[in-house]
Amino acid sequence: MAFYVTTPIYYVNAEPHLGHAYTTIAADILARHMRQRGEDVFFLTGTDEHGEPVELAAEREGIGPQELADRNAPKFERMMRLIEASNDFFIRTSDPRHVERVAEIMQRVFDNNHVYEGIYEGWYCPRCADFKTERELGPGNTCPIHEIPLLKEREQNWFFRLSSFQDDLERLYAERRDFVVPEHRYNEALSFIEQGLEDVSLSRPKLKWGMKLPWDSSQRMYVWFDALLNYVTALSFAHQGEDLTGRYWPADYQVMAKDILKFHAVIWPALLQAADLEVPKRLAIHGFLLMGEKKMSKSLGNVLDPNKVVETFGADALRHYCFRAVSFGNDGSVSAAGFEERYEAELANEYGNLASRTLAMVERYRNGVIPEAEHDPALVGGEDGFDGLVGRVEELLDRAELTQALAEIWERVRRLNRYVEESRPWDLDDDDSDVERLDQVLYSLAEGLRVVTLLLHPYMPATSQRLLVALAESGRRPAAFGSRGGGQRTERIAPLFPKLET
Ligand SMILES: [Zn+2]
């Protein structure tokens, strides 16, 4: 089955930061997990290069907007590689192929009579590239996000008839309770719709850096329309000579932060319907990573800079931290000190230690060959047993419950560590009569480690790759506990998560 997942495209007027990395890693986890399950996955990310924010940033630097885009887009592409994002394509909206496809789609919106000409008067924030309604204004007519005073602007615009989609959107939300996850974001979007939709400005005459309207070249398109359509246009040119639209559209998951919910949950489905296109299956909305305590950490200073984290600890440690420290869907605090604590406690002491002692004991007691034995029933049942684990994780990831799925897996990492303490393999080795028991314990440990490592692959791709090679596992599909017999030769590996030098 086809599975198409997207991130928002990121504005090229700023440097890539932790927020961009977080959204991208979330989408990457879904992409990698679905690839593991054998689905036909397409994962898209990219940069948003038109609009006033880019124009203004370029002006400040004394260069043209295309030059700014050309300078900054590669920084985002580098970030994708840094965090091990496995995107299949990176779209840039200044790409002429995108521009051409947007013109076609918007012409269809025009032909279908969903636009009209009118006067717009409102409070405009150039940094948001968005008009604010009276309700949304901050104190003293300011932008609530950027906290800058706004000017009332009046101009001739083309409008998109968003109001005419009131019933369609209400029906969409009634029929598809999982159109937006988590549920509180669904409720937020629905309540926005239920307050009554107003038509939105589609073009601006003053904008210099943006696409011209195909039916009125005196006006340029409001950047959000051009940006939203990237999710569809990319499919038509991502593969040379092949149009993937029929294969992947509508998207299965569109992942984004909560600040762009309104555009994606309201305007986007209306725009798609206006263009005779299907709406995406689900939007997954996450909260903000808030920089918490400013306590110094030993190796990162007091700022959680993704570049520095990856350079010092590797991408997997960052990927793990983001989804352990903050519940996906909600806001949560992150910090450099918190990162280091979790790195030591969970990656070095729990998972890393489980891996190294399992491999070491197989080496020491069975010459590096995983024994052939029955798995220990003690690990199967109970709250943190392995029974039903794969199905549970798959079901959670189907609902984009990234933190809960990881928590399920991590409970089993902890269960295996407790199992080592309970079964005391070093005592079993003292007594020859316990050969079978030691075989069972070692087999069960190696098998449990294989199962959790396969499930951790989407979260920690590089680590899981190393460990699966050491466990002589060539497959990558999630596997049930006890589904592989013994007999494989293991390899010793250097610590997966070396302890910090103090
Ligand atoms: Zn603003």
Side-chain angles (χ1 to χ4, degrees):
M1 287 234 301
F3 182 85
Y4 179 29
V5 58
T6 67
T7 74
I9 45 175
Y10 304 120
Y11 261 145
V12 277
N13 60 339
E15 297 285 318
H17 55 65
L18 185 62
H20 302 121
Y22 182 53
T23 310
T24 311
I25 293 168
D28 189 58
I29 290 168
L30 294 174
R32 287 179 182 272
H33 173 72
M34 295 312 276
R35 282 193 206 105
Q36 270 190 297
R37 280 160 66 174
E39 308 296 4
D40 171 23
V41 172
F42 196 82
F43 169 21
L44 179 71
T45 188
T47 40
D48 185 357
E49 307 193 349
H50 288 133
E52 205 161 2
V54 177
E55 194 180 310
L56 293 175
E59 238 166 57
R60 279 196 298 273
E61 300 199 29
I63 56 175
Q66 185 67 59
E67 195 183 339
L68 182 85
D70 290 344
R71 183 197 287 175
N72 286 357
K75 296 180 186 169
F76 284 87
E77 293 190 75
R78 266 199 301 282
M79 182 193 75
M80 300 306 158
R81 291 193 292 274
L82 182 79
I83 60 177
E84 303 258 1
S86 61
N87 53 299
D88 295 285
F89 191 62
F90 186 97
I91 187 174
R92 296 184 52 191
T93 55
S94 64
D95 188 318
R97 297 170 297 182
H98 166 75
V99 171
E100 192 184 318
R101 279 290 285 145
V102 170
E104 282 167 32
I105 295 170
M106 291 311 295
Q107 182 65 47
R108 198 151 69 228
V109 173
F110 176 85
D111 293 343
N112 288 347
N113 196 28
H114 294 299
V115 301
Y116 63 92
E117 221 171 357
I119 297 288
Y120 194 92
E121 191 175 47
W123 299 98
Y124 183 78
C125 175
R127 305 251 313 264
C128 292
D130 189 14
F131 282 99
K132 303 287 166 190
T133 64
E134 297 287 342
R135 243 195 336 260
E136 290 168 324
L137 286 178
N141 302 325
T142 53
C143 169
I145 297 163
H146 295 104
E147 297 173 345
I148 52 170
L150 302 182
L151 291 178
K152 200 155 216 182
E153 301 207 2
R154 182 187 159 86
E155 59 185 29
Q156 186 85 7
N157 275 186
W158 285 88
F159 283 81
F160 174 58
R161 288 185 209 277
L162 182 61
S163 63
S164 70
F165 290 91
Q166 183 77 38
D167 293 345
D168 293 301
L169 292 183
E170 284 183 11
R171 195 175 320 115
L172 170 72
Y173 276 74
E175 285 169 0
R176 288 163 53 178
R177 302 283 311 190
D178 64 348
F179 179 59
V180 179
V181 294
E183 199 181 2
H184 64 279
R185 300 296 176 204
Y186 168 96
N187 293 332
E188 199 179 318
L190 181 59
S191 97
F192 188 84
I193 294 164
E194 285 172 341
Q195 284 166 26
L197 298 175
E198 288 170 23
D199 295 342
V200 291
S201 173
L202 169 75
S203 66
R204 308 203 65 219
K206 283 185 222 151
L207 194 65
K208 291 191 288 286
W209 179 237
M211 284 187 54
K212 285 183 176 161
L213 291 182
W215 63 87
D216 176 359
S217 62
S218 75
Q219 298 247 345
R220 288 184 193 262
M221 201 180 299
Y222 185 47
V223 65
W224 271 101
F225 288 85
D226 149 25
L228 285 167
L229 286 168
N230 92 86
Y231 304 127
V232 176
T233 66
L235 295 175
S236 67
F237 61 86
H239 282 194
Q240 192 86 40
E242 190 186 1
D243 189 339
L244 303 173
T245 316
R247 183 160 149 201
Y248 293 112
W249 192 258
D252 292 81
Y253 262 115
Q254 302 208 258
V255 181
M256 71 204 68
K258 63 178 185 179
D259 55 335
I260 51 176
L261 175 70
K262 186 177 102 184
F263 288 101
H264 284 82
V266 182
I267 298 175
W268 178 222
L271 177 64
L272 285 165
Q273 292 183 42
D276 304 323
L277 289 163
E278 281 187 74
V279 304
K281 290 180 197 157
R282 279 172 304 262
L283 310 178
I285 316 297
H286 66 76
F288 289 153
L289 300 184
L290 310 168
M291 284 295 171
E293 47 178 325
K294 283 282 193 297
K295 208 169 82 187
M296 281 295 271
S297 89
K298 281 172 276 183
S299 45
L300 296 171
N302 55 16
V303 177
L304 195 67
D305 168 11
N307 292 295
K308 201 150 181 221
V309 172
V310 173
E311 188 186 300
T312 315
F313 297 95
D316 287 357
L318 177 69
R319 295 170 65 106
H320 170 265
Y321 176 71
C322 288
F323 294 89
R324 285 292 281 171
V326 176
S327 179
F328 188 70
N330 297 320
D331 291 350
S333 292
V334 295
S335 67
F339 169 84
E340 278 197 359
E341 278 163 27
R342 209 173 269 274
Y343 177 89
E344 288 215 34
E346 297 192 342
L347 294 181
N349 293 344
E350 292 180 350
Y351 187 46
N353 191 32
L354 173 68
S356 57
R357 60 184 179 168
T358 300
L359 291 170
M361 288 189 292
V362 169
E363 172 86 27
R364 188 177 324 130
Y365 303 135
R366 293 296 180 262
N367 297 313
V369 176
I370 299 171
E372 304 261 14
E374 285 297 312
H375 63 260
D376 194 334
L379 286 170
V380 174
E383 280 277 285
D384 53 5
F386 279 78
D387 194 25
L389 174 64
V390 171
R392 178 90 185 112
V393 169
E394 289 183 351
E395 187 197 315
L396 286 166
L397 289 176
D398 281 343
R399 301 203 307 265
E401 302 261 23
L402 301 183
T403 300
Q404 284 196 33
L406 180 55
E408 289 283 338
I409 305 165
W410 215 261
E411 279 309 304
R412 276 63 183 191
V413 170
R414 290 181 172 162
R415 178 71 190 94
L416 290 170
N417 272 322
R418 277 207 318 282
Y419 181 69
V420 176
E421 304 307 323
E422 288 160 14
S423 54
R424 306 180 63 81
W426 44 89
D427 287 347
L428 299 171
D429 187 52
D430 289 343
D431 182 346
D432 280 7
S433 67
D434 276 338
V435 168
E436 274 184 33
R437 174 61 183 153
L438 183 54
D439 278 352
Q440 180 183 46
V441 169
L442 294 176
Y443 167 76
S444 300
L445 272 176
E447 178 64 357
L449 183 60
R450 180 183 77 99
V451 169
V452 295
T453 303
L454 283 167
L455 289 172
L456 285 172
H457 159 79
Y459 294 89
M460 300 195 279
T463 303
S464 96
Q465 178 63 21
R466 276 179 68 199
L467 190 45
L468 289 170
V469 167
L471 289 166
E473 172 56 273
S474 56
R476 290 297 173 266
R477 256 179 205 259
F481 183 64
S483 61
R484 185 179 85 161
Q488 301 80 10
R489 176 161 289 283
T490 60
E491 283 169 28
R492 292 295 293 275
I493 48 176
L496 296 171
F497 301 101
K499 294 235 174 150
L500 301 171
E501 285 168 28
T502 46

